[in-house]
Amino acid sequence: SSLEINNEAVVSTQSTGVEEEEEIVENGSTKGNSNGGGGGMFSFLKNFNLSTQQTITSEQLQPVLEKLKEHLTSKNVAAEISIQLCDSLESTLVGKSYSSFTGLTSTVRNALSETLTKILSPKRRVNVLRDVVEAKARSRPYVITFCGVNGVGKSTNLAKVCFWLLDNGYRVLVVGGDTFRAGAVEQLRTHVVRLANMYSEDKVQLYERGYGKDPAGLAFEAIKYAKDRCFDVVLVDTAGRMQDNEPLMRALSKLVAMNKPDLTLFVGEALVGNEAVDQLVKFNQALIDNSVTAEAGTKSIIDGILLTKFDCIDDKVGAAISMTYITGQPIVFVGTGQQYPDLRSLNVKSVVTALLR
């Protein structure tokens, strides 16, 4: 189901620089119709001068792009990404023609809208339900690994994904792969017990071996257990880790390289901008640097993104753009609350509309 965003939630109460610029262009093109009733429609068309075409220059674009950078940053797009987007727009638009009727700012906004839509619609789409069916046809479970920094809601959102899969009729094995943080396994057990009460113990189980174990080996055992007992999906929790913690990043890379999950999801907060980009870049690079497999020489990467706390950001949806722009990977899910059903797919049109307001 698509993400529904309340219109009042995504409309900014303050006029943005981009909107003000557009109003100036429109007012300038309607000014001067003060000669009374003689002209009628012909006078109206003459003032708009529909046939006038102008070529866009870099000098013309600069004030509009400066306001656009400020606007995107205010929407929580990472500053570096805002600059790169505006530079890309300048390269695309300089030398192009625009109608004086349309206005320069409207032309820029339309081009930005197209760019943002393309960024949020990566070429590779992740369809988990379809891929689960394909894995079942090969007599093996579909494996998802969840990773991210501390405190972003990995376990809670893993439980939401589990609920969604159970609701679609699949058997799910949840793996307590966070063998580092005290209480992590107990937190997962609480979720699994609740979900088992909602469905059945046969439909969802927890695989755990306590603390201090090697997470990569634990996940390997769990996947074999799931295959032997005909589970459809394996959800692997991992320890939250800061992106600069090299030993833990190596441990995550080992888990991914050894078990080759079908989907490695980075769980990040929609509330952060620049920090989210730094986290995601370093997680992705750690996987690339440490996980070249001896057999095939392939590299593991982040395959998709789960954005949490999407219900808390009003119209500041820029983290979605920052994360997809920097990796080229899709946002597979967004978390929109604390209850199990509070998981949605991303509504690209709503996010682009919110960014441009």
Side-chain angles (χ1 to χ4, degrees), residues 111-126:
L112 179 62
S113 177
E114 290 177 12
T115 299
L116 295 175
T117 301
K118 285 179 182 176
I119 291 171
L120 289 170
S121 308
K123 294 176 182 177
R124 188 185 69 84
R125 289 181 58 83
V126 174

Side-chain angles (χ1 to χ4, degrees), residues 6 14 17 91 108 114 164 177 188 207 216 272 279 291 300 329 346 353:
N6 185 296
Q14 296 181 351
S91 299
V108 174
E114 290 177 12
W164 174 69
L188 274 186
Y207 188 96
V272 293
Q279 292 166 4
S291 63
S300 302
Q329 302 299 344
L346 189 74
T353 300

Side-chain angles (χ1 to χ4, degrees), residues 147-162:
C147 65
V149 300
N150 304 291
V152 295
K154 277 192 310 305
S155 299
T156 301
N157 283 277
L158 181 152
K160 292 179 190 177
V161 173
C162 184

Side-chain angles (χ1 to χ4, degrees), residues 190-243:
T190 299
H191 285 303
V192 170
V193 168
R194 286 177 186 165
L195 291 166
N197 288 336
M198 296 168 69
Y199 292 91
S200 75
E201 289 185 10
D202 179 63
K203 288 288 188 182
V204 57
Q205 293 179 23
L206 174 67
Y207 188 96
E208 57 91 6
R209 293 293 182 266
Y211 297 97
K213 300 287 190 294
D214 173 32
L218 177 68
F220 185 83
E221 294 170 8
I223 294 167
K224 184 177 185 304
Y225 177 93
K227 183 177 181 180
D228 292 344
R229 288 158 182 79
C230 299
F231 280 91
D232 302 312
V233 185
V234 178
L235 303 180
V236 183
D237 188 29
T238 64
R241 63 205 76 208
M242 296 310 292
Q243 62 269 30

Side-chain angles (χ1 to χ4, degrees), residues 140-190:
R140 66 170 184 83
Y142 182 82
V143 182
I144 305 177
T145 297
F146 294 75
C147 65
V149 300
N150 304 291
V152 295
K154 277 192 310 305
S155 299
T156 301
N157 283 277
L158 181 152
K160 292 179 190 177
V161 173
C162 184
F163 171 84
W164 174 69
L165 290 164
L166 291 166
D167 209 42
N168 279 279
Y170 294 113
R171 295 184 69 224
V172 183
L173 183 68
V174 176
V175 182
D178 183 353
T179 62
F180 181 76
R181 178 175 65 89
V185 174
E186 288 74 16
Q187 184 181 4
L188 274 186
R189 182 179 290 113
T190 299

